[in-house]
Amino acid sequence: MTVIDSIILGIIEGITEFLPISSTGHMIIASTFMGLKQDAFQQTFEVVIQLGAILAVVLIYFEKLKGNFTLWKKLITAFIPTGILGLLLHKIIEEKLFNPVVVSISLIVWGIIFIVIELLYKAKEHTIHKPEDISYFKSVLMGLFQSLAMVPGTSRSGATISGGLILGMDRVTATEFSFLLAIPTMGAATGLELFKNYHTLSFNNLTILIIGFVTAFIFAYISVKWLLKFIKTHTFIPFGIYRIILGSIVLLLLYFKVISF
């Protein structure tokens, strides 16, 4: 991996991690186009730049999180289902589903789901207007929605935001809870991956890791701030349309053997 590769992947991670378009899917597609192999260092690199994205959310919501034990308890409750299912299924999913075909199909299917949910959405029916007001039962359900994103191309933020809308949250609350839930979820996943692949870290690849980390942090910060403004006056339908178009293009490129994996 070159410095340019690191910057490109850092930008992709930062932009896509918190938008409902699947960061994992975009990373798999980008790595396929760039000819990068999903080896141990590549996996470690993707984990390290995820830390940059997490740090951006921590910075943005630092005041909200500080001393807010009620919110933290809701987030931990929501994380538990994902943590359990992740430990049980992650290895199988990674071996069988981490490829551009699955990503493309997931992008299209969930793009359609996002559009349908938005068309059925009625703001007046949504009575939860703060993340702290989400019940523990609904927190568990949010964790189950998040677990759907173990299939690459689904989108962790997309699944949880959609789940939030279904469970009675307004758009901003569903989006904020999705952002905040990323902290324990991605923090735990990152820690586990670093523990498994720490041997791939060395002084020689430190520059690549730092550049990717900083790039992901900057673009995640910008992405989160932008999305929070966007959803105040727009729906998630444009993201659904984007997903369908991207998934269709990648499937066509695979079918005509323009790209391969």
Side-chain angles (χ1 to χ4, degrees), residues 55-126:
L55 183 60
V57 171
V58 172
L59 181 62
I60 291 170
Y61 286 99
F62 182 76
E63 289 300 321
K64 190 179 189 71
L65 290 166
K66 186 173 62 174
N68 193 338
F69 297 110
T70 299
L71 178 57
W72 275 109
K73 286 188 288 186
K74 302 287 177 68
L75 294 174
I76 297 302
T77 300
F79 162 71
I80 290 172
T82 306
I84 294 173
L85 291 172
L87 287 173
L88 293 174
L89 302 175
H90 176 70
K91 187 174 182 180
I92 296 172
I93 290 173
E94 193 173 67
E95 290 175 354
K96 304 294 184 182
L97 302 181
F98 271 54
N99 63 72
V101 174
V102 173
V103 168
S104 301
I105 294 171
S106 295
L107 284 169
I108 294 169
V109 170
W110 278 91
I112 295 170
I113 291 173
F114 293 164
I115 292 172
V116 170
I117 290 174
E118 277 290 1
L119 292 175
L120 296 175
Y121 177 88
K122 292 182 176 61
K124 65 181 180 181
E125 295 177 358
H126 291 72

Side-chain angles (χ1 to χ4, degrees), residues 6-16 212 215-216 219-220:
S6 175
I7 293 172
I8 292 172
L9 293 178
I11 291 171
I12 292 172
E13 167 63 25
I15 291 175
T16 62
T215 305
F219 280 87

Side-chain angles (χ1 to χ4, degrees), residues 26-44:
H26 278 75
M27 294 290 279
I28 291 173
I29 292 170
S31 297
T32 300
F33 272 100
M34 295 162 69
L36 299 174
K37 295 180 179 179
Q38 286 291 321
D39 56 17
F41 175 71
Q42 175 77 7
Q43 293 173 352
T44 303

Side-chain angles (χ1 to χ4, degrees), residues 43-60:
Q43 293 173 352
T44 303
F45 173 82
E46 291 177 4
V47 164
V48 169
I49 63 176
Q50 277 185 343
L51 276 175
I54 297 169
L55 183 60
V57 171
V58 172
L59 181 62
I60 291 170

